[in-house]
Amino acid sequence: HLFKSRKSKFKIETRIESHELFEKVNQTIEKYSKGVYTEIEPQNFPWDSIFITGYGAGVRNLGTNDYQYYFAIDALYSLFKYDVTLQNPELSLRRMIDKAREDGGEKSAKETKKHLMQLLKRILNLDKDDKIELTSISIEVISKRWGRNELSTLGDGYISTITWILDLFSWWMLNLKQQGKKLAGNLEIKGIVLIDEIEQHLHPVWKVKIMPLLQDAFPNIQFISTTHSPLVVLNSSKDPLKSPELKVHVLNWQDKSVTSSVVNEPIVDLDYNQLLGSEAFGYISNSNQILQSVLAEMSKLVAIDNPNKKQKEKLEVIKAELKNIMFPEGGTLIERVIEREYYEELEKKADYLKGLLD
């Protein structure tokens, strides 16, 4: 497959048969078309017709670049090179409005601008009465909560989201231009978008909503995102019960390479703490680890039929240790009251078990 870069001025040729990502599909590639799977030889696969972009974790709030042509290698470069910035968001927005005007006149330009502003407002999770405007000097967000602000003065979450969304639309516009298609009437982007650490700079409420917001705004895009946030994973689908195509993968670094495994347990059935304790997040437990180890040791001792003197003394030490580490951890008063009662009952159980050993 041939890759061309506007900057590099040369071509890089990679034989599909030798590429490690395609070792298992070097004979045929299955393409879903009109409800029927058809086999396509690798050399005949329409690679150039696939629209794809990617966004790394380190550059999404930097938009200074300017491209004239769409090449996948340029659109994906920020995933791997943090010194490669995205396209200027204000310039991208103005170019799209101008392109729509060129394609369909002033009415088309106004409709395009309105569509983009409404889409940005929806993804930014703004309030109903908030607005996004393109002024003579900047993109501005007007909110009842924090007034009128230019893009450069907003928080990193807003800056990065506006920047990568407009970068995505700019690549789509350049892609359509190369195919001789008009932007007017073609604002529904179809393709693949890769986002590294999508949760960066987002408020927890926004993390909960970000994937459903993107799915709603871009129904024809396949999003492949990485995240360290359980909030993003738990709410990664706007309708998880009707999204069998949603897959959660765990990435692990092993032997100088990354391995991927699918989380088979249904995420929709779990709450936040259960998700942390699942394979998706490495079986993290938020319980008191010291308490758990002490109770485990105590269980072993009380299970001994005829404990010796040393084992009995150890049991007494454990009982004393339990008093030191058993403290209420509940977030509310009622939780702490219940926990105290639980610990009192646990101590009674310990006395009962001790009595069995005497």
Side-chain angles (χ1 to χ4, degrees), residues 15 27 29 44 66 83 110 126 128 135 143-144 186 195 200 204 207 238 257 270 277 287 304 316 327 339 341 344:
R15 287 184 59 79
Q27 297 298 321
I29 294 178
N44 297 326
D66 172 20
D83 59 345
K110 291 181 178 180
L126 296 177
K128 181 180 179 181
T135 69
S143 169
K144 285 188 174 181
N186 280 310
I195 309 176
Q200 273 205 351
K207 291 179 184 180
K238 60 182 178 182
S257 63
L270 306 180
S287 61
I304 300 174
E316 289 295 329
F327 57 89
E339 285 175 354
E341 292 176 351
E344 289 174 0

Side-chain angles (χ1 to χ4, degrees), residues 244-288:
E245 74 280 3
L246 174 66
K247 299 292 183 183
V248 177
H249 293 252
V250 177
L251 303 179
N252 293 298
W253 179 261
Q254 293 181 350
D255 299 326
K256 298 182 180 181
S257 63
V258 176
T259 61
S260 172
S261 60
V262 179
V263 177
N264 294 313
E265 186 176 11
I267 297 299
V268 68
D269 295 335
L270 306 180
D271 62 25
Y272 186 90
N273 290 328
Q274 289 172 328
L275 181 63
L276 286 175
S278 73
E279 60 179 310
F281 282 87
Y283 304 101
I284 297 174
S285 173
N286 66 344
S287 61
N288 189 311

Side-chain angles (χ1 to χ4, degrees), residues 135-151:
T135 69
S136 59
I137 59 173
S138 177
I139 297 172
E140 295 186 357
V141 176
I142 301 96
S143 169
K144 285 188 174 181
R145 290 175 292 168
W146 24 270
R148 178 183 289 267
N149 290 270
E150 294 183 2
L151 177 60

Side-chain angles (χ1 to χ4, degrees), residues 56-313:
V59 295
R60 289 200 293 268
N61 59 349
L62 297 174
T64 59
N65 239 321
D66 172 20
Y67 291 94
Q68 301 295 324
Y69 304 96
Y70 169 78
F71 293 111
I73 192 170
D74 289 334
L76 289 168
Y77 216 34
S78 75
L79 273 173
F80 313 102
K81 294 281 287 183
Y82 283 2
D83 59 345
V84 177
T85 64
L86 306 187
Q87 297 172 82
N88 185 298
E90 182 185 342
L91 178 61
S92 297
L93 183 54
R94 294 187 189 281
R95 280 183 171 178
M96 283 182 281
I97 295 172
D98 289 342
K99 182 67 168 64
R101 183 179 292 108
E102 178 185 319
D103 291 344
E106 193 60 36
K107 181 180 179 181
S108 176
K110 291 181 178 180
E111 290 176 349
T112 298
K113 180 180 178 180
K114 181 180 179 181
H115 174 84
L116 293 171
M117 295 305 188
Q118 290 179 341
L119 182 141
L120 280 173
K121 177 181 174 180
R122 196 181 345 164
I123 295 175
L124 293 180
N125 196 35
L126 296 177
D127 293 337
K128 181 180 179 181
D129 295 328
D130 293 345
K131 297 179 181 179
I132 301 178
E133 292 183 355
L134 177 62
T135 69
S136 59
I137 59 173
S138 177
I139 297 172
E140 295 186 357
V141 176
I142 301 96
S143 169
K144 285 188 174 181
R145 290 175 292 168
W146 24 270
R148 178 183 289 267
N149 290 270
E150 294 183 2
L151 177 60
S152 60
T153 65
L154 295 172
D156 285 347
Y158 290 106
I159 294 175
S160 63
T161 303
I162 291 175
T163 300
W164 80 256
I165 291 293
L166 291 179
D167 180 270
L168 170 63
F169 269 105
S170 183
W171 284 125
W172 178 247
M173 177 189 68
L174 294 174
N175 178 56
L176 291 175
K177 184 178 179 180
Q178 287 178 205
Q179 298 180 45
K181 298 180 180 179
K182 296 181 178 181
L183 179 64
N186 280 310
L187 288 172
E188 292 295 330
I189 301 176
K190 300 177 182 179
I192 302 170
V193 175
L194 287 72
I195 309 176
D196 188 21
E197 297 183 24
I198 192 171
E199 78 282 359
Q200 273 205 351
H201 310 302
L202 303 186
H203 185 279
V205 173
W206 203 357
K207 291 179 184 180
V208 169
K209 297 180 179 180
I210 187 61
M211 292 310 299
L213 287 171
L214 290 175
Q215 291 169 29
D216 184 60
F218 301 104
N220 297 312
I221 287 181
Q222 179 187 6
F223 287 99
I224 302 175
S225 307
T226 66
T227 182
H228 294 293
S229 172
L231 291 175
V232 173
V233 176
L234 278 174
N235 302 279
S236 51
S237 173
K238 60 182 178 182
D239 192 351
L241 295 177
K242 296 180 181 180
S243 299
E245 74 280 3
L246 174 66
K247 299 292 183 183
V248 177
H249 293 252
V250 177
L251 303 179
N252 293 298
W253 179 261
Q254 293 181 350
D255 299 326
K256 298 182 180 181
S257 63
V258 176
T259 61
S260 172
S261 60
V262 179
V263 177
N264 294 313
E265 186 176 11
I267 297 299
V268 68
D269 295 335
L270 306 180
D271 62 25
Y272 186 90
N273 290 328
Q274 289 172 328
L275 181 63
L276 286 175
S278 73
E279 60 179 310
F281 282 87
Y283 304 101
I284 297 174
S285 173
N286 66 344
S287 61
N288 189 311
Q289 298 299 314
I290 299 176
L291 176 59
Q292 294 299 318
S293 63
V294 171
L295 290 175
E297 184 66 21
M298 185 177 180
S299 298
K300 294 178 182 178
L301 290 172
V302 297
I304 300 174
D305 291 333
N306 297 303
N308 55 36
K309 182 180 179 180
K310 185 176 181 180
Q311 290 168 335
K312 290 181 180 180
E313 290 175 349

Side-chain angles (χ1 to χ4, degrees), residues 314-326:
K314 190 172 184 179
L315 193 58
E316 289 295 329
V317 172
I318 289 177
K319 181 180 177 182
E321 185 68 16
L322 283 175
K323 290 182 179 179
N324 293 329
I325 64 176
M326 281 187 170

